[in-house]
Amino acid sequence: MNTMTTTDTSQPPGRIDIGIGGMTCASCVLRVEKALKKQPGVSEATVNLATESARVLIEGGDAPASLARIKRAVRDAGYEPRSMDAIEEAAVVGWLGLPRDVLPVLIGIVLSAPLVLPMVGDLFGGHWMLPAWMQFVLATPVQFVLGARFYRAGWHALKARTGNMELLVAIGTTAAWALSVWLWWRAAAGDMPHLYFEASAVVITLVLLGKWLEARAKRQTTSAIRALQSLRPERAHLLPDGLVRTEITDVAVDELLPGDVVRVLPGERFAADGTVVQGSTQADESMLTGEAMPVPKEVGDGVTGGSLNGEGAVEVKVRAIGAHSVLAQIIALVQDAQAGKAPVQRLVDQVAAVFVPVVLVIALLTMLGWLWTGTPMEEALIHAVAVLVIACPCALGLATPAAIMAGTGVAAKHGILIKDAQALEIAHKVDTVAFDKTGTLTEGHPRLLLIEAAPGVDEVSVLQTAAALQAQSAHPLARAVLDAAHARSLAVAPDAAQDVQAVSGRGSQGTVQGTRLSLGSLRWMAQLGIDLGPLAARAQALQQQGSTVSVLASQAAGGTGWSPLALLAFGDEPKVGAAAAIAELRAAGMRLFMVSGDNQGAALAMATRLGLRAADGEVIAEVLPGDKAAVVSRLKQGGHVVVMVGDGVNDAPALAVADVGMAMSHSQGGSSDVAMHAAGITLMRGDPLMVAAALDISRRTVSKIRQNLFWAFAYNVAGIPLAALGFLSPVVAGAAMALSSVSVVSNALLLKRWKPPQRRAPGPMP
């Protein structure tokens, strides 16, 4: 089942996603890709057997005309261009409410069962052989009506001078049916020759059964996409604008515009990304971030479309809609990952290109070999048929995409968005993890840690005065001062300060209650000629401990000089779980590094709290934003595979240079959006513990890919010789072939049970 429609208006320009019906094996994938790449303007075409879809990149040209040519190319190759809606309907709606693809299976079982019954009777000494004409009547509809799909697809493959699964099934079952008719026609009157009608009918029925079971399993691998799509509410309660609308109106979510205000009732899903403008509540964002605990939402907080509103009714101002919403970007990332091919798939494509011709040659050699030993023609032909049937390359085509779909789907459920299959495959090789400090390992929001007042100066008065001076500023340190004042319930009037001026890179000046004040860095104080006196030693000590130190100073009457009032020490706090994440990655044998633009003292102080070993070179401080990419490049030397974890705009170059970039998303979006686009993996929660979880699901997914490829090759490596040597009948070969596809997809579905590893408490700091 494909996950995209051919008419999706949200698709990026130059990209076409289209569903393809009728593909059954790796050879089909190869043929469709070749047909698409021959079309004018097509720069790249990737076909996915598990999603039954193709992604085509177009360079310029007329998009509608390109889509028409692509559809025609798919049809000329022998397959059916489809939209997602058509595939969904075909999968679930049919005669008597049954899925359409199960009806041929049921008919095949009904017609084949009487043919198998004599084989069962032989086991108990009974002889229940049906008359030849009855076997012919039962087997012929199965061969030419239910099996018509194999003839059509096989004929298209021959015209394209390639082979596929259907061609092998068509040749093998036709040979068994024709041999039976020949033996029946040659038999003397009254004789009952051994016929092989049951082989042709049962093989076709088993193949149809296997494809139905496989389709059911494949639909489960896309459950993550369907679950995300189901989060989109259909209607929104649009509040009046006071002009055109004078009352609340229920409108389709697609009609919302940025700036609209909607009411979200308890238990409803937020219709779009926005900001709470009235009311308070809690939001369940578990389907988007993997975080099970509800998140409190107050006025000014951001909400994400698709998350579930808790117990409070709130009014939300719409910020982003359609393809620009967080939910749409998440769905797009998961779809991109599931539509792409992992590098290991290239090996499968190379094998598929020569597989069917090689099998046809082996089947011919099998028949000639048995004839050379004196075996009767009919028996030699049946051995060749068994080779053709068991060698169908269905499992090869499903091994990689089924595992990728299951792995990326379950990862998205837990808040880990994997952008492409290449990132997934590389991540399992990672041996080095480099963290940005601010906002990744730390909260990224400085706090006022302490106030060191000058002798005779009241600490509370200093805080209230500093807050008044910073009331109009949006600087992170200013917000930290205001937060500290609010925490102590100090009243701060917005207009308490006059003539406030921000001095870039230094601080701010203004007048509070008639006194001229300066609040800024130690370097600025030195430029102003301010003597810190007894506070100087304390300022130096606070800096060595990793704090950012500012000074509040007042100017004497008449502007004759400045006097220090207090030191304000600011510091960031490590994120909850950051130390545990470091310990977990260290236990997994990873090389660890923290890359920071802070001064050496601040970086070393935070590293000690996190459990990083500065003596081993794990702290890289005083790195300019533009130099982070160069640091990552150095870490890659010597063959190391590096993952860079960051969250901001200045991390994007480093994320792009790393073997795998991991971006931590903020609930408010913003600057982290750039990091998300530069990274191969996005962590929807700012939780460092998710880094280890992302590496774990990568390892498990790659392990499933390898297991699937092993079993897919093993079926053929073991099955073809056994069939050629006469140890497998066509019926047993058909059952084994069907089982191979089902087992590969079922093995991939085991990934759906994955959960992030249990967290260990961090050990003692070194």
Side-chain angles (χ1 to χ4, degrees), residues 51-84:
T51 58
E52 296 184 23
S53 64
R55 172 160 293 177
V56 184
L57 300 184
I58 305 293
E59 292 183 350
D62 184 5
S66 297
L67 177 58
R69 282 194 295 268
I70 287 170
K71 287 184 175 181
R72 182 172 297 177
V74 170
R75 195 175 299 281
D76 291 344
Y79 302 94
E80 181 184 356
R82 295 178 178 177
S83 69
M84 183 181 71

PDB file of all heavy atoms in Angstrom, residues 51-84:
ATOM      1  N   THR A  51       5.637  -0.232   0.072  1.00  0.00           N
ATOM      2  CA  THR A  51       4.555   0.760   0.039  1.00  0.00           C
ATOM      3  C   THR A  51       3.828   0.765  -1.297  1.00  0.00           C
ATOM      4  O   THR A  51       2.844   1.499  -1.455  1.00  0.00           O
ATOM      5  CB  THR A  51       5.111   2.175   0.282  1.00  0.00           C
ATOM      6  OG1 THR A  51       6.089   2.470  -0.703  1.00  0.00           O
ATOM      7  CG2 THR A  51       5.737   2.286   1.661  1.00  0.00           C
ATOM      8  N   GLU A  52       4.312  -0.035  -2.254  1.00  0.00           N
ATOM      9  CA  GLU A  52       3.743  -0.071  -3.606  1.00  0.00           C
ATOM     10  C   GLU A  52       3.624   1.345  -4.157  1.00  0.00           C
ATOM     11  O   GLU A  52       2.550   1.779  -4.596  1.00  0.00           O
ATOM     12  CB  GLU A  52       2.381  -0.773  -3.617  1.00  0.00           C
ATOM     13  CG  GLU A  52       2.465  -2.240  -3.227  1.00  0.00           C
ATOM     14  CD  GLU A  52       1.121  -2.947  -3.340  1.00  0.00           C
ATOM     15  OE1 GLU A  52       0.267  -2.460  -4.102  1.00  0.00           O
ATOM     16  OE2 GLU A  52       0.924  -3.960  -2.665  1.00  0.00           O
ATOM     17  N   SER A  53       4.730   2.075  -4.096  1.00  0.00           N
ATOM     18  CA  SER A  53       4.711   3.463  -4.535  1.00  0.00           C
ATOM     19  C   SER A  53       6.023   3.813  -5.198  1.00  0.00           C
ATOM     20  O   SER A  53       7.017   3.084  -5.092  1.00  0.00           O
ATOM     21  CB  SER A  53       4.459   4.399  -3.343  1.00  0.00           C
ATOM     22  OG  SER A  53       5.536   4.317  -2.425  1.00  0.00           O
ATOM     23  N   ALA A  54       6.001   4.954  -5.898  1.00  0.00           N
ATOM     24  CA  ALA A  54       7.207   5.473  -6.540  1.00  0.00           C
ATOM     25  C   ALA A  54       7.326   6.951  -6.228  1.00  0.00           C
ATOM     26  O   ALA A  54       6.317   7.659  -6.131  1.00  0.00           O
ATOM     27  CB  ALA A  54       7.165   5.251  -8.047  1.00  0.00           C
ATOM     28  N   ARG A  55       8.546   7.403  -6.061  1.00  0.00           N
ATOM     29  CA  ARG A  55       8.832   8.828  -5.891  1.00  0.00           C
ATOM     30  C   ARG A  55       9.707   9.250  -7.055  1.00  0.00           C
ATOM     31  O   ARG A  55      10.786   8.701  -7.270  1.00  0.00           O
ATOM     32  CB  ARG A  55       9.509   9.092  -4.565  1.00  0.00           C
ATOM     33  CG  ARG A  55      10.021  10.512  -4.400  1.00  0.00           C
ATOM     34  CD  ARG A  55      10.227  10.860  -2.956  1.00  0.00           C
ATOM     35  NE  ARG A  55       8.939  10.898  -2.252  1.00  0.00           N
ATOM     36  CZ  ARG A  55       8.816  11.129  -0.950  1.00  0.00           C
ATOM     37  NH1 ARG A  55       9.901  11.334  -0.221  1.00  0.00           N
ATOM     38  NH2 ARG A  55       7.639  11.154  -0.384  1.00  0.00           N
ATOM     39  N   VAL A  56       9.229  10.249  -7.811  1.00  0.00           N
ATOM     40  CA  VAL A  56       9.899  10.687  -9.027  1.00  0.00           C
ATOM     41  C   VAL A  56      10.256  12.163  -8.885  1.00  0.00           C
ATOM     42  O   VAL A  56       9.410  12.980  -8.501  1.00  0.00           O
ATOM     43  CB  VAL A  56       9.002  10.477 -10.260  1.00  0.00           C
ATOM     44  CG1 VAL A  56       9.757  10.839 -11.535  1.00  0.00           C
ATOM     45  CG2 VAL A  56       8.519   9.033 -10.331  1.00  0.00           C
ATOM     46  N   LEU A  57      11.504  12.509  -9.188  1.00  0.00           N
ATOM     47  CA  LEU A  57      11.955  13.893  -9.161  1.00  0.00           C
ATOM     48  C   LEU A  57      12.035  14.411 -10.588  1.00  0.00           C
ATOM     49  O   LEU A  57      12.656  13.787 -11.456  1.00  0.00           O
ATOM     50  CB  LEU A  57      13.321  14.009  -8.479  1.00  0.00           C
ATOM     51  CG  LEU A  57      13.384  13.543  -7.014  1.00  0.00           C
ATOM     52  CD1 LEU A  57      14.772  13.802  -6.443  1.00  0.00           C
ATOM     53  CD2 LEU A  57      12.310  14.230  -6.176  1.00  0.00           C
ATOM     54  N   ILE A  58      11.379  15.560 -10.826  1.00  0.00           N
ATOM     55  CA  ILE A  58      11.289  16.148 -12.163  1.00  0.00           C
ATOM     56  C   ILE A  58      12.110  17.430 -12.201  1.00  0.00           C
ATOM     57  O   ILE A  58      12.047  18.247 -11.281  1.00  0.00           O
ATOM     58  CB  ILE A  58       9.821  16.475 -12.530  1.00  0.00           C
ATOM     59  CG1 ILE A  58       8.940  15.215 -12.385  1.00  0.00           C
ATOM     60  CG2 ILE A  58       9.732  17.026 -13.941  1.00  0.00           C
ATOM     61  CD1 ILE A  58       9.254  14.135 -13.374  1.00  0.00           C
ATOM     62  N   GLU A  59      12.865  17.613 -13.271  1.00  0.00           N
ATOM     63  CA  GLU A  59      13.624  18.847 -13.464  1.00  0.00           C
ATOM     64  C   GLU A  59      12.888  19.722 -14.466  1.00  0.00           C
ATOM     65  O   GLU A  59      12.914  19.483 -15.667  1.00  0.00           O
ATOM     66  CB  GLU A  59      15.030  18.544 -13.973  1.00  0.00           C
ATOM     67  CG  GLU A  59      15.922  17.851 -12.955  1.00  0.00           C
ATOM     68  CD  GLU A  59      17.317  17.626 -13.475  1.00  0.00           C
ATOM     69  OE1 GLU A  59      17.525  17.838 -14.686  1.00  0.00           O
ATOM     70  OE2 GLU A  59      18.200  17.231 -12.698  1.00  0.00           O
ATOM     71  N   GLY A  60      12.187  20.755 -13.932  1.00  0.00           N
ATOM     72  CA  GLY A  60      11.474  21.688 -14.797  1.00  0.00           C
ATOM     73  C   GLY A  60      10.339  21.011 -15.533  1.00  0.00           C
ATOM     74  O   GLY A  60       9.883  19.917 -15.185  1.00  0.00           O
ATOM     75  N   GLY A  61       9.838  21.645 -16.565  1.00  0.00           N
ATOM     76  CA  GLY A  61       8.796  21.061 -17.384  1.00  0.00           C
ATOM     77  C   GLY A  61       7.404  21.275 -16.812  1.00  0.00           C
ATOM     78  O   GLY A  61       7.208  21.869 -15.764  1.00  0.00           O
ATOM     79  N   ASP A  62       6.433  20.775 -17.530  1.00  0.00           N
ATOM     80  CA  ASP A  62       5.021  20.894 -17.171  1.00  0.00           C
ATOM     81  C   ASP A  62       4.655  19.766 -16.222  1.00  0.00           C
ATOM     82  O   ASP A  62       4.699  18.595 -16.589  1.00  0.00           O
ATOM     83  CB  ASP A  62       4.175  20.822 -18.441  1.00  0.00           C
ATOM     84  CG  ASP A  62       2.696  21.040 -18.161  1.00  0.00           C
ATOM     85  OD1 ASP A  62       2.361  21.328 -17.003  1.00  0.00           O
ATOM     86  OD2 ASP A  62       1.895  20.912 -19.101  1.00  0.00           O
ATOM     87  N   ALA A  63       4.295  20.113 -14.955  1.00  0.00           N
ATOM     88  CA  ALA A  63       4.018  19.082 -13.958  1.00  0.00           C
ATOM     89  C   ALA A  63       2.866  18.171 -14.359  1.00  0.00           C
ATOM     90  O   ALA A  63       2.976  16.944 -14.268  1.00  0.00           O
ATOM     91  CB  ALA A  63       3.757  19.734 -12.600  1.00  0.00           C
ATOM     92  N   PRO A  64       1.701  18.715 -14.812  1.00  0.00           N
ATOM     93  CA  PRO A  64       0.616  17.810 -15.226  1.00  0.00           C
ATOM     94  C   PRO A  64       1.028  16.880 -16.358  1.00  0.00           C
ATOM     95  O   PRO A  64       0.678  15.697 -16.356  1.00  0.00           O
ATOM     96  CB  PRO A  64      -0.493  18.782 -15.655  1.00  0.00           C
ATOM     97  CG  PRO A  64      -0.214  20.046 -14.896  1.00  0.00           C
ATOM     98  CD  PRO A  64       1.276  20.133 -14.832  1.00  0.00           C
ATOM     99  N   ALA A  65       1.772  17.413 -17.335  1.00  0.00           N
ATOM    100  CA  ALA A  65       2.214  16.561 -18.436  1.00  0.00           C
ATOM    101  C   ALA A  65       3.187  15.497 -17.936  1.00  0.00           C
ATOM    102  O   ALA A  65       3.153  14.342 -18.382  1.00  0.00           O
ATOM    103  CB  ALA A  65       2.870  17.412 -19.523  1.00  0.00           C
ATOM    104  N   SER A  66       4.069  15.877 -17.003  1.00  0.00           N
ATOM    105  CA  SER A  66       5.015  14.907 -16.448  1.00  0.00           C
ATOM    106  C   SER A  66       4.279  13.799 -15.719  1.00  0.00           C
ATOM    107  O   SER A  66       4.631  12.619 -15.847  1.00  0.00           O
ATOM    108  CB  SER A  66       5.981  15.613 -15.493  1.00  0.00           C
ATOM    109  OG  SER A  66       6.752  16.577 -16.170  1.00  0.00           O
ATOM    110  N   LEU A  67       3.252  14.155 -14.950  1.00  0.00           N
ATOM    111  CA  LEU A  67       2.470  13.151 -14.239  1.00  0.00           C
ATOM    112  C   LEU A  67       1.797  12.205 -15.219  1.00  0.00           C
ATOM    113  O   LEU A  67       1.769  10.987 -15.003  1.00  0.00           O
ATOM    114  CB  LEU A  67       1.429  13.833 -13.351  1.00  0.00           C
ATOM    115  CG  LEU A  67       0.472  12.902 -12.590  1.00  0.00           C
ATOM    116  CD1 LEU A  67       1.248  11.948 -11.696  1.00  0.00           C
ATOM    117  CD2 LEU A  67      -0.527  13.716 -11.779  1.00  0.00           C
ATOM    118  N   ALA A  68       1.263  12.746 -16.300  1.00  0.00           N
ATOM    119  CA  ALA A  68       0.607  11.900 -17.305  1.00  0.00           C
ATOM    120  C   ALA A  68       1.599  10.934 -17.935  1.00  0.00           C
ATOM    121  O   ALA A  68       1.292   9.751 -18.145  1.00  0.00           O
ATOM    122  CB  ALA A  68      -0.040  12.782 -18.372  1.00  0.00           C
ATOM    123  N   ARG A  69       2.805  11.438 -18.262  1.00  0.00           N
ATOM    124  CA  ARG A  69       3.820  10.552 -18.850  1.00  0.00           C
ATOM    125  C   ARG A  69       4.243   9.464 -17.873  1.00  0.00           C
ATOM    126  O   ARG A  69       4.473   8.314 -18.261  1.00  0.00           O
ATOM    127  CB  ARG A  69       5.039  11.381 -19.293  1.00  0.00           C
ATOM    128  CG  ARG A  69       4.837  12.130 -20.597  1.00  0.00           C
ATOM    129  CD  ARG A  69       6.169  12.629 -21.144  1.00  0.00           C
ATOM    130  NE  ARG A  69       6.764  13.610 -20.257  1.00  0.00           N
ATOM    131  CZ  ARG A  69       6.583  14.913 -20.345  1.00  0.00           C
ATOM    132  NH1 ARG A  69       5.817  15.407 -21.295  1.00  0.00           N
ATOM    133  NH2 ARG A  69       7.181  15.744 -19.502  1.00  0.00           N
ATOM    134  N   ILE A  70       4.350   9.829 -16.601  1.00  0.00           N
ATOM    135  CA  ILE A  70       4.755   8.841 -15.597  1.00  0.00           C
ATOM    136  C   ILE A  70       3.695   7.762 -15.463  1.00  0.00           C
ATOM    137  O   ILE A  70       3.998   6.566 -15.391  1.00  0.00           O
ATOM    138  CB  ILE A  70       5.015   9.557 -14.250  1.00  0.00           C
ATOM    139  CG1 ILE A  70       6.316  10.358 -14.334  1.00  0.00           C
ATOM    140  CG2 ILE A  70       5.080   8.556 -13.105  1.00  0.00           C
ATOM    141  CD1 ILE A  70       6.539  11.276 -13.172  1.00  0.00           C
ATOM    142  N   LYS A  71       2.438   8.168 -15.416  1.00  0.00           N
ATOM    143  CA  LYS A  71       1.355   7.178 -15.330  1.00  0.00           C
ATOM    144  C   LYS A  71       1.380   6.247 -16.537  1.00  0.00           C
ATOM    145  O   LYS A  71       1.207   5.029 -16.401  1.00  0.00           O
ATOM    146  CB  LYS A  71       0.003   7.883 -15.244  1.00  0.00           C
ATOM    147  CG  LYS A  71      -0.285   8.538 -13.905  1.00  0.00           C
ATOM    148  CD  LYS A  71      -1.685   9.128 -13.904  1.00  0.00           C
ATOM    149  CE  LYS A  71      -2.047   9.682 -12.537  1.00  0.00           C
ATOM    150  NZ  LYS A  71      -3.422  10.234 -12.512  1.00  0.00           N
ATOM    151  N   ARG A  72       1.590   6.831 -17.712  1.00  0.00           N
ATOM    152  CA  ARG A  72       1.598   6.002 -18.920  1.00  0.00           C
ATOM    153  C   ARG A  72       2.793   5.054 -18.904  1.00  0.00           C
ATOM    154  O   ARG A  72       2.679   3.893 -19.321  1.00  0.00           O
ATOM    155  CB  ARG A  72       1.646   6.896 -20.159  1.00  0.00           C
ATOM    156  CG  ARG A  72       1.614   6.109 -21.463  1.00  0.00           C
ATOM    157  CD  ARG A  72       1.462   7.042 -22.653  1.00  0.00           C
ATOM    158  NE  ARG A  72       0.202   7.767 -22.598  1.00  0.00           N
ATOM    159  CZ  ARG A  72      -0.149   8.693 -23.499  1.00  0.00           C
ATOM    160  NH1 ARG A  72       0.674   8.995 -24.501  1.00  0.00           N
ATOM    161  NH2 ARG A  72      -1.302   9.305 -23.391  1.00  0.00           N
ATOM    162  N   ALA A  73       3.946   5.530 -18.411  1.00  0.00           N
ATOM    163  CA  ALA A  73       5.124   4.659 -18.348  1.00  0.00           C
ATOM    164  C   ALA A  73       4.887   3.491 -17.410  1.00  0.00           C
ATOM    165  O   ALA A  73       5.292   2.352 -17.702  1.00  0.00           O
ATOM    166  CB  ALA A  73       6.343   5.466 -17.892  1.00  0.00           C
ATOM    167  N   VAL A  74       4.241   3.747 -16.283  1.00  0.00           N
ATOM    168  CA  VAL A  74       3.914   2.665 -15.343  1.00  0.00           C
ATOM    169  C   VAL A  74       2.990   1.650 -15.999  1.00  0.00           C
ATOM    170  O   VAL A  74       3.182   0.427 -15.888  1.00  0.00           O
ATOM    171  CB  VAL A  74       3.270   3.251 -14.067  1.00  0.00           C
ATOM    172  CG1 VAL A  74       2.711   2.130 -13.189  1.00  0.00           C
ATOM    173  CG2 VAL A  74       4.272   4.084 -13.285  1.00  0.00           C
ATOM    174  N   ARG A  75       1.980   2.153 -16.717  1.00  0.00           N
ATOM    175  CA  ARG A  75       1.027   1.240 -17.358  1.00  0.00           C
ATOM    176  C   ARG A  75       1.689   0.447 -18.478  1.00  0.00           C
ATOM    177  O   ARG A  75       1.444  -0.757 -18.646  1.00  0.00           O
ATOM    178  CB  ARG A  75      -0.163   2.038 -17.889  1.00  0.00           C
ATOM    179  CG  ARG A  75      -1.375   1.180 -18.242  1.00  0.00           C
ATOM    180  CD  ARG A  75      -2.556   2.032 -18.656  1.00  0.00           C
ATOM    181  NE  ARG A  75      -2.999   2.938 -17.602  1.00  0.00           N
ATOM    182  CZ  ARG A  75      -3.747   2.569 -16.576  1.00  0.00           C
ATOM    183  NH1 ARG A  75      -4.123   1.299 -16.457  1.00  0.00           N
ATOM    184  NH2 ARG A  75      -4.126   3.445 -15.678  1.00  0.00           N
ATOM    185  N   ASP A  76       2.539   1.114 -19.270  1.00  0.00           N
ATOM    186  CA  ASP A  76       3.217   0.410 -20.360  1.00  0.00           C
ATOM    187  C   ASP A  76       4.167  -0.656 -19.837  1.00  0.00           C
ATOM    188  O   ASP A  76       4.458  -1.643 -20.530  1.00  0.00           O
ATOM    189  CB  ASP A  76       3.998   1.409 -21.226  1.00  0.00           C
ATOM    190  CG  ASP A  76       3.074   2.323 -22.027  1.00  0.00           C
ATOM    191  OD1 ASP A  76       1.876   1.979 -22.149  1.00  0.00           O
ATOM    192  OD2 ASP A  76       3.543   3.380 -22.496  1.00  0.00           O
ATOM    193  N   ALA A  77       4.671  -0.462 -18.612  1.00  0.00           N
ATOM    194  CA  ALA A  77       5.554  -1.466 -18.018  1.00  0.00           C
ATOM    195  C   ALA A  77       4.784  -2.665 -17.488  1.00  0.00           C
ATOM    196  O   ALA A  77       5.391  -3.649 -17.045  1.00  0.00           O
ATOM    197  CB  ALA A  77       6.366  -0.840 -16.886  1.00  0.00           C
ATOM    198  N   GLY A  78       3.448  -2.578 -17.533  1.00  0.00           N
ATOM    199  CA  GLY A  78       2.634  -3.712 -17.108  1.00  0.00           C
ATOM    200  C   GLY A  78       2.035  -3.563 -15.728  1.00  0.00           C
ATOM    201  O   GLY A  78       1.523  -4.540 -15.168  1.00  0.00           O
ATOM    202  N   TYR A  79       2.043  -2.354 -15.172  1.00  0.00           N
ATOM    203  CA  TYR A  79       1.520  -2.142 -13.825  1.00  0.00           C
ATOM    204  C   TYR A  79       0.466  -1.047 -13.851  1.00  0.00           C
ATOM    205  O   TYR A  79       0.252  -0.384 -14.874  1.00  0.00           O
ATOM    206  CB  TYR A  79       2.663  -1.800 -12.867  1.00  0.00           C
ATOM    207  CG  TYR A  79       3.716  -2.882 -12.838  1.00  0.00           C
ATOM    208  CD1 TYR A  79       4.837  -2.799 -13.668  1.00  0.00           C
ATOM    209  CD2 TYR A  79       3.560  -4.007 -12.048  1.00  0.00           C
ATOM    210  CE1 TYR A  79       5.791  -3.808 -13.678  1.00  0.00           C
ATOM    211  CE2 TYR A  79       4.505  -5.017 -12.043  1.00  0.00           C
ATOM    212  CZ  TYR A  79       5.620  -4.917 -12.868  1.00  0.00           C
ATOM    213  OH  TYR A  79       6.545  -5.921 -12.880  1.00  0.00           O
ATOM    214  N   GLU A  80      -0.179  -0.838 -12.728  1.00  0.00           N
ATOM    215  CA  GLU A  80      -1.314   0.080 -12.676  1.00  0.00           C
ATOM    216  C   GLU A  80      -0.985   1.294 -11.825  1.00  0.00           C
ATOM    217  O   GLU A  80      -0.733   1.166 -10.621  1.00  0.00           O
ATOM    218  CB  GLU A  80      -2.538  -0.636 -12.091  1.00  0.00           C
ATOM    219  CG  GLU A  80      -3.774   0.242 -12.017  1.00  0.00           C
ATOM    220  CD  GLU A  80      -4.934  -0.467 -11.353  1.00  0.00           C
ATOM    221  OE1 GLU A  80      -4.791  -1.665 -11.018  1.00  0.00           O
ATOM    222  OE2 GLU A  80      -5.964   0.175 -11.149  1.00  0.00           O
ATOM    223  N   PRO A  81      -1.009   2.497 -12.418  1.00  0.00           N
ATOM    224  CA  PRO A  81      -0.831   3.707 -11.600  1.00  0.00           C
ATOM    225  C   PRO A  81      -2.071   3.943 -10.748  1.00  0.00           C
ATOM    226  O   PRO A  81      -3.200   3.855 -11.235  1.00  0.00           O
ATOM    227  CB  PRO A  81      -0.646   4.811 -12.649  1.00  0.00           C
ATOM    228  CG  PRO A  81      -1.324   4.293 -13.879  1.00  0.00           C
ATOM    229  CD  PRO A  81      -1.172   2.797 -13.843  1.00  0.00           C
ATOM    230  N   ARG A  82      -1.861   4.230  -9.476  1.00  0.00           N
ATOM    231  CA  ARG A  82      -2.980   4.362  -8.545  1.00  0.00           C
ATOM    232  C   ARG A  82      -2.769   5.558  -7.624  1.00  0.00           C
ATOM    233  O   ARG A  82      -1.655   6.027  -7.432  1.00  0.00           O
ATOM    234  CB  ARG A  82      -3.122   3.117  -7.660  1.00  0.00           C
ATOM    235  CG  ARG A  82      -3.479   1.834  -8.375  1.00  0.00           C
ATOM    236  CD  ARG A  82      -3.532   0.709  -7.375  1.00  0.00           C
ATOM    237  NE  ARG A  82      -3.928  -0.564  -7.974  1.00  0.00           N
ATOM    238  CZ  ARG A  82      -3.993  -1.705  -7.293  1.00  0.00           C
ATOM    239  NH1 ARG A  82      -3.686  -1.722  -6.019  1.00  0.00           N
ATOM    240  NH2 ARG A  82      -4.367  -2.814  -7.890  1.00  0.00           N
ATOM    241  N   SER A  83      -3.863   5.983  -7.035  1.00  0.00           N
ATOM    242  CA  SER A  83      -3.794   6.914  -5.911  1.00  0.00           C
ATOM    243  C   SER A  83      -3.924   6.113  -4.625  1.00  0.00           C
ATOM    244  O   SER A  83      -4.320   4.944  -4.639  1.00  0.00           O
ATOM    245  CB  SER A  83      -4.916   7.949  -5.989  1.00  0.00           C
ATOM    246  OG  SER A  83      -6.166   7.335  -5.751  1.00  0.00           O
ATOM    247  N   MET A  84      -3.618   6.746  -3.507  1.00  0.00           N
ATOM    248  CA  MET A  84      -3.723   6.059  -2.218  1.00  0.00           C
ATOM    249  C   MET A  84      -5.150   5.635  -1.949  1.00  0.00           C
ATOM    250  O   MET A  84      -5.419   4.545  -1.448  1.00  0.00           O
ATOM    251  CB  MET A  84      -3.223   6.955  -1.093  1.00  0.00           C
ATOM    252  CG  MET A  84      -3.226   6.282   0.271  1.00  0.00           C
ATOM    253  SD  MET A  84      -2.653   7.374   1.571  1.00  0.00           S
ATOM    254  CE  MET A  84      -4.038   8.514   1.656  1.00  0.00           C
TER     255      MET A  84
END
